[in-house]
Amino acid sequence: MKAIRFHTHGGPEVLRLEEVPDPVPSAGEVLVRVRACALNHLDIWERQGLPRVQIPLPHISGSDVAGEVVAASAGDVRPGQRVMLQPGVSCGRCAACLAGRDFECARYEVLGYRNHPGGYAELVAVPVQNLVPIPDEIDFVRAAAFPLTFLTAWHMLMTRARLERGEDVLVVAAGSGVGQAAVQIAALHGARVFATAGSDAKLERARALGAADVINHHTQDIAEEIKRLTNRRGVDVVIEHVGEATWAKSVRSLARGGRLVTCGATTGGRGALDLHALFAKQLSILGSYMGAKGELLQAARCFFSGQLTPVVDRTYPLAAAADAQRRLERSEQFGKIVLEVP
Ligand SMILES: [Zn+2]
């Protein structure tokens, strides 16, 4: 098969289109022909190299995949079945997996990260329980744009923050994959959503997705704007993933009893915390990583019924993966960048 691989860490130029052996499904796995694969920041960090993580080389990235079942050696799936893939791969047998918290499995892996080759390829092998059948009217590009970010945002809002109707939510960087998903999920569940972005065009799009008010995080002070918009109260929930650049203002935006959930630190991992504010305002700082298969299926129901719609920024052919990653690195996108595999 053809695949995009990198043999050394570095810039986008290390990505190479190559002829590589087809993946061989092991017991309980299914071979899927990739039709579309969405990008995530994780792809860029893998390519650049991470300080404490060993990435086996050469490596095939890609966590968000949609395609067709080629051959099924497990389960009741049929060849030709259109699917999207749950991006979290786990053992399926341990206490955490059986309790529905597969993201806490000791063998948890994200598809395309570390030891499980991903979807920048014509074929991918995954456990049968990772298949999510998609209806005929959902195209592969939109299906690939859905799983990782909607799963992440759903877990952050519904499970970690325990969002309730009528609450105020601040979504930082609404143009990102997680951001556009969080705005939609929070609005769908009856929250008043405030969203930030770095350009007027992106702010307009955030509004169209359901944000009640928007803040330009380059030209406005997020915490001051939130105070003004909430009559000095602050928000109940902050959805964070930007890190150092916005952390202090995100914490300051919280109301008494507020919960901040973070799933990333794109601009750096250091964030100070005023402990006086933490206890006096009874704040909760919550970490979040991926989510459970059951949560993805709940979110997918809303996708298939038209209540949630992944935003596709732009598509590229698989061979142009380097250009696609450059666009993501420059934060030019609104929504998901997707590779199409012929
Ligand atoms: Zn497990």
Side-chain angles (χ1 to χ4, degrees):
M1 68 167 181
K2 287 197 169 59
I4 294 282
R5 298 201 298 188
F6 55 88
H7 293 253
T8 55
H9 293 295
E13 69 283 354
V14 301
L15 298 175
R16 282 196 228 154
L17 183 66
E18 297 178 322
E19 197 68 41
V20 305
D22 287 359
V24 179
S26 45
E29 285 191 335
V30 171
L31 196 61
V32 173
R33 180 165 300 283
V34 180
R35 293 297 184 192
C37 179
L39 271 60
N40 288 285
H41 270 284
L42 187 61
D43 310 357
I44 290 169
W45 297 324
E46 288 159 19
R47 193 202 69 217
Q48 291 172 337
L50 289 152
R52 285 175 299 278
V53 182
Q54 188 76 37
I55 307 282
L57 297 174
H59 184 77
I60 303 174
S61 294
S63 310
D64 267 330
V65 175
E68 292 157 309
V69 172
V70 175
S73 55
D76 58 355
V77 288
R78 57 175 172 77
Q81 171 73 58
R82 302 170 77 251
V83 292
M84 62 183 184
L85 302 184
Q86 143 79 348
V89 181
S90 65
C91 82
R93 295 187 302 275
C94 71
C97 281
L98 294 173
R101 298 192 310 275
D102 48 282
F103 49 88
E104 290 174 6
C105 176
R107 289 171 57 194
Y108 193 78
E109 283 269 345
V110 177
L111 184 63
Y113 182 46
R114 302 202 299 185
N115 298 310
H116 205 114
Y120 283 34
E122 290 177 327
L123 295 165
V124 66
V126 290
V128 65
Q129 63 265 28
N130 284 65
L131 304 183
V132 180
I134 55 173
D136 291 344
E137 64 273 19
I138 302 281
D139 61 75
F140 289 125
V141 168
R142 279 195 303 147
F146 187 79
L148 193 143
T149 49
F150 277 83
L151 171 63
T152 299
W154 189 281
H155 185 64
M156 292 173 84
L157 283 161
M158 308 313 295
T159 305
R160 301 296 280 145
R162 297 179 182 282
L163 179 67
E164 291 180 20
R165 290 195 75 78
E167 288 194 311
D168 286 342
V169 176
L170 167 64
V171 176
V172 179
S176 68
V178 166
Q180 53 91 24
V183 169
Q184 292 185 62
I185 294 167
L188 177 66
H189 290 86
R192 178 170 64 155
V193 183
F194 303 111
T196 86
S199 75
D200 289 347
K202 288 186 181 186
L203 291 173
E204 273 319 302
R205 300 199 62 180
R207 232 186 247 281
L209 285 179
D213 260 300
V214 293
I215 301 165
N216 185 322
H217 55 224
H218 290 322
T219 59
Q220 292 176 294
D221 182 310
I222 297 173
E224 288 306 315
E225 284 302 305
I226 286 295
K227 276 186 185 162
R228 185 179 68 76
L229 292 164
T230 60
N231 198 18
R232 305 203 68 74
R233 180 179 174 272
V235 295
D236 303 290
V237 175
V238 175
I239 295 300
E240 238 303 327
H241 53 97
V242 172
E244 272 180 43
T246 51
W247 179 260
K249 282 164 185 170
S250 290
V251 175
R252 272 182 52 220
S253 298
L254 287 166
R256 290 179 185 278
R259 297 92 77 197
L260 182 152
V261 193
T262 178
C263 72
T266 312
T267 59
R270 289 182 188 280
L273 199 55
D274 175 358
L275 298 182
H276 295 100
L278 180 71
F279 70 74
K281 290 172 77 178
Q282 303 202 64
L283 305 179
S284 299
I285 306 293
L286 303 162
S288 192
Y289 184 66
M290 302 294 285
K293 171 99 192 278
E295 292 174 296
L296 178 63
L297 297 180
Q298 280 181 289
R301 268 183 59 187
C302 302
F303 173 28
F304 300 155
S305 65
Q307 298 175 88
L308 295 173
T309 305
V311 178
V312 175
D313 170 70
R314 190 177 285 191
T315 64
Y316 290 82
L318 177 66
D323 288 338
Q325 288 197 358
R326 286 187 186 100
R327 180 167 174 82
L328 181 60
E329 280 185 299
R330 291 192 298 256
S331 291
E332 290 171 352
Q333 86 288 359
F334 189 98
K336 301 295 284 181
I337 300 168
V338 182
L339 300 175
E340 285 191 282
V341 185

